Structures are given as C-alpha cells and as structure tokens.
Amino acid sequence: MPDGGARSCRPIACGRDAGVSSRREESYNDLPVGKYLFVTGGVISGLGKGVVTASLGAILGASGVHVTLQKADPYINVDAGTMNPYEHGEVFVTRDGQETDLDIGHYERFTDQNLGAVNYLTTGQVYWNVLRAERRGDYLGQTVQVIPHVTDEIKRLVRRAQGATEAEVTIVEIGGTVGDIEGLPFLEALRQLQDEVPREDAAFVHLSYVPVLSTTGELKTKPTQHSVRELRAAGIQPDFIVARTPRELTAALRRKIALFCDVAPENVIEERDVESIYEVPLVLREEGADAKLLKRLGIARTEGDLTGWKEFVHNLKNPERHVRIGIVGKYVELHDAYMSILEALRHAGAALRTGVQPVWIPSGDIAARPELLEDIDGILVPGGFGERGVDGKIQAAEHARRSGTPYLGICLGMHCAVVAFARSELGLQGAHSTEFDPATPHPVIALLPEQGGVTDKGGTMRLGEYPAVLSPETRTQHCYGSERIGERHRHRYEFNPDYLEAFERAGMRAAAASPDGRLVEVVEIPGHPWYVGVQFHPEFTSRPLRPHPLFVGFLRACAS
C-alpha cells in the first residue's frame, strides 16, 4: 500500500492541469529518447485494446524490462473527470490526482505500478498546450497548424512520459479505432516519431478482430486486412498483429493474415477469447509475444516468471465458496462504471478462494422494491455524484446496519451511512449532505469553508493521494496492519466535524482522520459484523497479487 507520506493534506487539489503544461518546460529535442511500442486498434471498438496493452506491460515487466504505459485519448475533453459514466465508464484517479480513462486502471493493476499525469494525454490537453503557447508567442509568428505544431506537441508528451519515468520501454495505446478522424493527428505524430528513432527503438502492434461468420462458421480475415489498409493509409506498417478471435487460428489463416498485411507469419499473435481478462498475459506468453517484442526492440532478456500470476488466475477460476455482493448504484446498467470496484472484489476473492457474484441493485428502485436488499451476503455502496438514487443508497446503508449485513461504503457510500445513522440513531430529522439539500437543518456532510467559491466542475475536488492516521484497535487499523496510510480521493464534500462527538457517543466512531485530525477519513461501527465507510477510493490501489486489505476484510466478513 502507499506509505501516505508523499503529500501534505490540503483541502482542494486541482487536478485539471495535471496533464497540461502551464509553460513549455522542456524542449522537444532535449527530452530523452527511449524505446517505444505503439498499440493501435482496428475493425471495431471494444476489442480490449487497453487489456492487451496492459498485458504487454505485464509480460515485458516480468522479463525484467522497466516499462511505463501511456494512454492517448482522441477526445477533446482535457481529462475524463467531467464525463458521464454511461459514455465512458468509470473515471480512474492516479496517485498524483489526474482523472483518467479506465484503461489507466488496467495498466496499474497489470503492471503493479503507480502511474500519473504523464501517462495520460488527450486531444484537449494537446490543443490546450498549443493554444497557450501560441498566445505566449512561443511560435514566433508562425501559422499554427496540425502539422507540425499539434503533432510536435503529441510527440513531446509521449517522450515526456519516457523521460519522467526513466522507462526502458514506453507502451503507448492510441484510443479509438484506426480510421477515426479524431485519431489521425496521433497516428501522424507516432509515424514521425518512429522515423526519428533507430528502427529497433520503435514498433507498432495492431489489435484486430477475426470474426466467425455465422452462416458458415468460418473465421474471416478480411476485416483485419481492411483495418491494416487504413493504418497503411496513415503511413504506418504494423510490425505485429494481435488477432482477437473466438477460436484458434489455423496455420493457414496466420499465413493469410501475414501475406495480406505484410507482417512476418510468426508476428501474427493469436488472442483467443478467455473467461477472465487476467488470462490475457498468459495467452500472450503462450504465443511468445514477449520474446518476439524484445527481439524486435533489440533487448536481451530471459523469460519472465509468471508463477504468481498463474496462481492468481487459478484461484480466481477455482473458488471454494461463493458470496453474493449487492452493488447499489445508479449506473448499474453499465458495469464499466464500477470497473475498479469489480476488479478489487475479484482480487480479494482470489486471495480468499471465494467467488464473487455481483448483484446489481439500481438505487432508484429500492424504495419501491426493498426486497432487492434481501438474499445477499454483503452490501457495497460505491462513490457517485448527483441526487438521483441517493435515497435508495441511504436506505441500503440503514438496512445493512439494522440487519447485520456486512457493509462497505465508498465515498458517497460513506456519506449515505453517516446520513442514515444521524437520522436513526441521533434523531436528527432532515439530516443530509448539503450536496443534495443545501437547506438541511443538520448538515452532517458538507463543503469545507474554503471550497464555497468553487464553481468549475473539472479538476476542483480533493484529488489524488492523501495521508491518514488510523485509530488504534479499530477494524480498519487491523486490516491495514499500519498506523498511517495513503489513499486516493475524488470528492468535494466531507464529514462535518461539528457532529463527530455526537456520532461517537451514539456508536459510530472515526477510525481514521487526516494527520491534523480535521478530516474524517473512515467511520465504522464496533460490534457490527462489518460496517465501514471510507472517504477515499480503496479500489484504485488494489492489485491482483496485492488485494486491498479493506476489500479482503469485507469479503471475509461476507463469507463468514
């Protein structure tokens, strides 16, 4: 777990500019040049390009190569922070407070690294930098154009990631699908970058799809051929093709893809459909992808050890028992909105040899259908924003407390537990969060005074890792086995410390607080089988081989 000592606690962290240069800090020509793998995707979106990129990082890292990974998203948003989860899935927050695409979460989990703002760039960031440079006069009166100014900025941000992390290999995933107009400047920039470095220092990996024709049952390579043709039209010839396929590729099909796409037959890498995303590194290892990539990049390494990863996958697929976990949220129709929550539950489940069956409970339906909260082993209320569904989450928190059902409340889930407790145990009628009821007579959750003037939505929350001090002899302290932690935050509203004494007298104690004691970070109810609410997002730091201790403790209580 993070040591929590890297940063002092401050009320607001503005993460908006974390991936945006406020000035031209370094000259492009002064940045170090390393080795690069560029990952593109074709045919259709949703093939799992982020998982493949993360898996390449995992198997190269296992071979002793220092890798870093970067996501280049073509949308014009500066970051993912203001995006509706229905459009883009969850927002993943890095240690340094950058709000990113969910693929950064895959990268961190698969490589067991803490990434940051340099590992994530968008069209919005690029144009923000270019326009501000133009306003400062950095271009000395030139006509500012996509080529060379935008493409130079993309190359600078890519090379900056390598320089900041001192990685031996930087793996860059280009979001979207080849042929999308939004992605053309990125492809052009990477084409230029490949030409600027020695041949052995850059390679392109193209993920494509080999579908089965339903009428004949044949695997068809034509979509892959057209996809590579689009890539070639952008001036890029892939070195490797990763073929996503529902069935095994025959030798004849591999030769056909190689012939029509102009790659070596041995560089056509099969990626079969698998039960779990965590099998993908093992599939790529079976195909010898790591050895082939290292040979292409001129790096001599022995085959890495994936024993621990194999054991994790085995435990994940062969549980000894099962639990049903009710996930109460307003985006439950789109499971990607809770990606890190799901993965953290799987990590803890594998460690405990316990299969986790998510039970998706729409928070807006609970009032009319309270039976949705029955026949489950645990209740998890994740973070979220907006008033819709809040009453159902409060009802879920109250049900868990009264019924003795293990409860884990994350961010808004903690707020709902606090509100429910204030109303039921303290008798504070109308108690609420000022996020949802600014006129509440009992603002048990509220903005800090210094946040009152904040109006912008993007990057204005408490973002990134903050330290916390754990209270002794609490369930939380027992789980961590430490007195001090650091966890990632993404929120504006806090527990109102004016009410803390009343809460503790009534039986809900603060199990962790900021080092100055001002901000409550964890609440729990002693004597309950498991009732813990956390202000932070523990799911962001869970790893396959290092499951988060709070998720392990929660699942252990659910399985008891």
Side-chain angles (χ1 to χ4, degrees), residues 437-448:
D437 182 5
T440 174
H442 301 291
V444 292
I445 302 293
L447 281 176
L448 297 175

Side-chain angles (χ1 to χ4, degrees), residues 443-518:
V444 292
I445 302 293
L447 281 176
L448 297 175
E450 57 266 43
Q451 292 175 293
V454 175
T455 57
D456 284 358
K457 298 294 186 185
T460 55
M461 296 179 279
R462 191 147 72 103
L463 288 165
E465 183 183 293
Y466 288 81
V469 177
L470 303 181
S471 301
E473 298 182 8
T474 59
R475 178 173 279 115
T476 303
Q477 194 274 334
H478 175 74
C479 285
Y480 279 99
S482 174
E483 296 179 354
R484 188 181 177 94
I485 60 171
E487 292 284 5
R488 300 181 193 181
H489 292 65
R490 184 179 183 248
H491 64 95
R492 291 187 180 86
Y493 293 81
E494 305 279 353
F495 184 98
N496 188 338
D498 293 343
Y499 291 87
L500 179 57
E501 185 178 345
F503 269 82
E504 294 202 320
R505 283 200 309 267
M508 177 180 278
R509 71 174 297 187
S514 58
D516 61 6
R518 180 165 172 259

Side-chain angles (χ1 to χ4, degrees), residues 42-302:
V43 184
I44 57 174
S45 60
L47 284 181
K49 182 155 39 67
V51 171
V52 168
T53 302
S55 299
L56 294 176
I59 60 177
L60 292 185
S63 297
V65 179
H66 180 198
V67 301
T68 193
L69 299 94
Q70 185 182 56
K71 177 69 179 291
D73 265 322
Y75 47 71
I76 300 177
N77 303 65
V78 172
D79 59 35
T82 58
M83 291 185 179
N84 189 316
Y86 281 127
E87 293 215 6
H88 212 67
E90 79 168 3
V91 176
F92 185 86
V93 178
T94 60
R95 189 177 188 179
D96 61 2
Q98 182 70 16
E99 295 175 285
T100 74
D101 174 86
L102 59 81
D103 281 326
I104 300 294
H106 286 314
Y107 300 169
E108 287 205 356
R109 287 186 284 270
F110 277 62
T111 63
D112 198 11
Q113 296 183 32
N114 291 315
L115 304 181
V118 295
N119 300 97
Y120 175 70
L121 70 144
T122 68
T123 294
Q125 289 179 19
V126 171
Y127 275 88
W128 185 306
N129 290 351
V130 169
L131 290 172
R132 289 196 294 180
E134 185 272 333
R135 292 289 86 186
R136 289 192 302 266
D138 292 356
Y139 298 122
L140 303 177
Q142 297 176 42
T143 300
V144 180
Q145 301 179 86
V146 174
I147 301 173
H149 302 99
V150 169
T151 51
D152 280 354
E153 180 62 14
I154 292 170
K155 291 187 291 182
R156 188 184 73 84
L157 292 174
V158 169
R159 286 177 57 177
R160 187 182 68 160
Q162 191 278 331
T165 59
E166 299 181 346
E168 192 173 0
V169 176
T170 302
I171 306 176
V172 184
E173 176 194 351
I174 305 301
T177 305
V178 169
D180 294 344
I181 191 170
E182 297 91 346
L184 291 177
F186 289 94
L187 293 179
E188 171 60 19
L190 299 189
R191 183 198 66 78
Q192 294 175 19
L193 184 53
Q194 184 185 41
D195 288 344
E196 293 169 3
V197 300
R199 185 180 184 280
E200 67 273 13
D201 285 354
F204 276 88
V205 178
H206 186 62
L207 174 64
S208 188
Y209 186 46
V210 182
V212 174
L213 192 63
S214 61
T215 54
T216 64
E218 295 178 275
L219 287 170
K220 305 301 290 187
T221 66
K222 189 62 70 176
T224 295
Q225 296 175 39
H226 283 291
S227 176
V228 172
R229 187 177 301 167
E230 288 276 3
L231 197 57
R232 282 174 165 174
I236 295 169
Q237 169 60 45
D239 301 278
F240 299 87
I241 291 176
V242 176
R244 174 77 183 270
T245 173
R247 290 211 310 256
E248 181 180 1
L249 291 178
T250 64
L253 283 173
R254 289 179 189 252
R255 289 194 298 270
K256 185 175 182 180
I257 292 172
L259 176 63
F260 283 94
C261 298
D262 195 22
V263 299
E266 61 270 20
N267 289 350
V268 177
I269 297 169
E270 176 186 289
E271 188 213 345
R272 298 183 307 279
D273 292 350
V274 288
E275 182 181 339
S276 166
I277 60 173
Y278 295 108
E279 295 179 74
V280 176
L282 304 179
V283 169
L284 296 180
R285 163 61 65 78
E286 289 176 10
E287 289 285 296
D290 46 352
K292 295 170 184 177
L293 290 168
L294 292 174
K295 180 180 178 181
R296 169 65 178 78
L297 294 174
I299 299 174
R301 290 289 191 279
T302 58

Side-chain angles (χ1 to χ4, degrees), residues 407-424:
Y407 178 84
L408 177 59
I410 295 175
C411 199
L412 179 57
M414 169 186 155
H415 296 176
C416 292
V418 167
V419 170
F421 192 87
R423 293 175 181 178
S424 297

Side-chain angles (χ1 to χ4, degrees), residues 90 92 105 109 338-345 539-540 551:
E90 79 168 3
F92 185 86
R109 287 186 284 270
Y338 304 104
M339 177 70 73
S340 292
I341 294 282
L342 287 172
E343 299 311 322
L345 287 171
E539 69 271 22
F540 291 151
F551 280 87

